[in-house]
Amino acid sequence: MKDYPINAIDSEYIEWLKAIKQQIRSTKIRMIKTANTELIHFYWRLGQMISQKLKEQNWGDKVINKLSVDLRNEFPDMQGFSRQNLYYSKNFYEFYAGQMHISPNSSIVPQVEGQLQIADNYKIIFDIPWGHQKVIISKAQNIEEALFYAHQTLSNSWSRSILENQFKQHSTNITDKDKQTSRRPYQP
C-alpha cells in the first residue's frame, strides 16, 4: 500500500477535519452539561443535608463556618465550599424543597401526587449553571418566577450578567401599584 501525501488543500481532508472538530466540540459541550447537572444535584443534596441537620440539631448558623473550613481543608483543590456557597446550597434546597423531592436515583418527584408536569418543569433547574442558579434563587420572589427565568436563561442562552440585567429591568419597570403587590411582575 502506497502512502499518498496529504495536501492540506485537499477538500475531502478539509471536510473530514471539520467533522472531527465538530465531534470534539459536541462532546466537550455534552461533558460540560453532564458535569454541570451533577454539580447542581450535588449542591441540592449538600443543601438538603445542611438544612436538615441545622433543624435537627439546633446548631445554629455558626456550624456552616466550621463546615466551610473543614471541607476546604479536606478538599483544597475544589471550589464551592465557601461559607457563602454553603448558604446558597442550603437556600437552593429550601427554595424548591416544598414543591418537589429528589429521589435517591436523582429523579424529580413532585410533592403533590399526579402532578407530573410539575416534575418536568423543575428539571430545568438542574440544567442551568450554578452561578445562574444563585442569581435566580436570590432574586426570584417565588418558584414560578424562578422557573420562568430558568427557562428564559436556557432558551435564550443568557449569560449571568444578562440574567441579572433581566431581573433589574423587570424591577425598574414596575409601577407603584405593582410595588404594593409584588416586587416585580413576570410573564411565564
Side-chain angles (χ1 to χ4, degrees):
M1 175 178 226
K2 187 174 179 183
D3 286 337
Y4 293 97
I6 295 181
N7 185 348
I9 300 174
D10 184 350
S11 64
E12 188 175 330
Y13 174 80
I14 291 171
E15 290 303 312
W16 181 62
L17 179 61
K18 279 184 188 177
I20 291 172
K21 289 178 180 179
Q22 184 57 41
Q23 281 293 316
I24 292 169
R25 287 183 185 104
S26 296
T27 300
K28 188 175 178 182
I29 289 169
R30 284 193 311 275
M31 288 170 42
I32 290 168
K33 285 183 176 181
T34 300
N36 179 69
T37 300
E38 285 301 313
L39 180 66
I40 302 300
H41 278 279
F42 166 73
Y43 284 135
W44 173 272
R45 291 186 302 272
L46 178 62
Q48 181 182 33
M49 293 168 67
I50 292 169
S51 178
Q52 289 175 346
K53 191 57 79 172
L54 288 178
K55 287 176 185 169
E56 290 170 6
Q57 299 297 326
N58 293 320
W59 283 338
D61 288 341
K62 289 189 179 183
V63 74
I64 292 180
N65 294 338
K66 179 164 178 37
L67 179 62
S68 173
V69 169
D70 290 341
L71 290 175
R72 286 188 290 169
N73 285 338
E74 181 70 23
F75 303 101
D77 297 335
M78 291 181 69
Q79 296 180 348
F81 299 127
S82 69
R83 176 185 174 277
Q84 183 177 17
N85 207 59
L86 294 178
Y87 272 108
Y88 273 121
S89 297
K90 175 182 171 287
N91 293 342
F92 172 59
Y93 169 75
E94 290 174 351
F95 187 82
Y96 293 106
Q99 299 293 319
M100 65 180 193
H101 170 72
I102 305 296
S103 67
N105 66 357
S106 295
S107 62
I108 300 169
V109 181
Q111 293 290 64
V112 180
E113 289 296 322
Q115 293 186 359
L116 294 178
Q117 184 61 38
I118 290 175
D120 289 340
N121 285 339
Y122 282 92
K123 287 180 184 177
I124 196 166
I125 68 170
F126 296 99
D127 293 336
I128 61 172
W130 181 240
H132 289 66
Q133 189 60 254
K134 292 190 301 185
V135 170
I136 290 172
I137 63 172
S138 65
K139 296 186 182 292
Q141 296 301 299
N142 54 55
I143 291 173
E144 291 79 17
E145 185 179 15
L147 292 174
F148 167 76
Y149 280 105
H151 281 281
Q152 292 299 309
T153 295
L154 278 184
S155 62
N156 296 304
S157 301
W158 285 350
S159 67
R160 193 177 330 159
S161 62
I162 290 174
L163 174 62
E164 289 172 339
N165 286 335
Q166 291 296 319
F167 272 105
K168 286 178 190 173
Q169 181 181 353
H170 281 119
S171 67
T172 59
N173 290 336
I174 297 176
T175 65
D176 288 335
K177 180 181 175 191
D178 292 330
K179 287 181 183 176
Q180 293 173 2
T181 58
S182 170
R183 275 195 30 210
R184 72 188 137 274
Y186 62 97
Q187 303 289 325

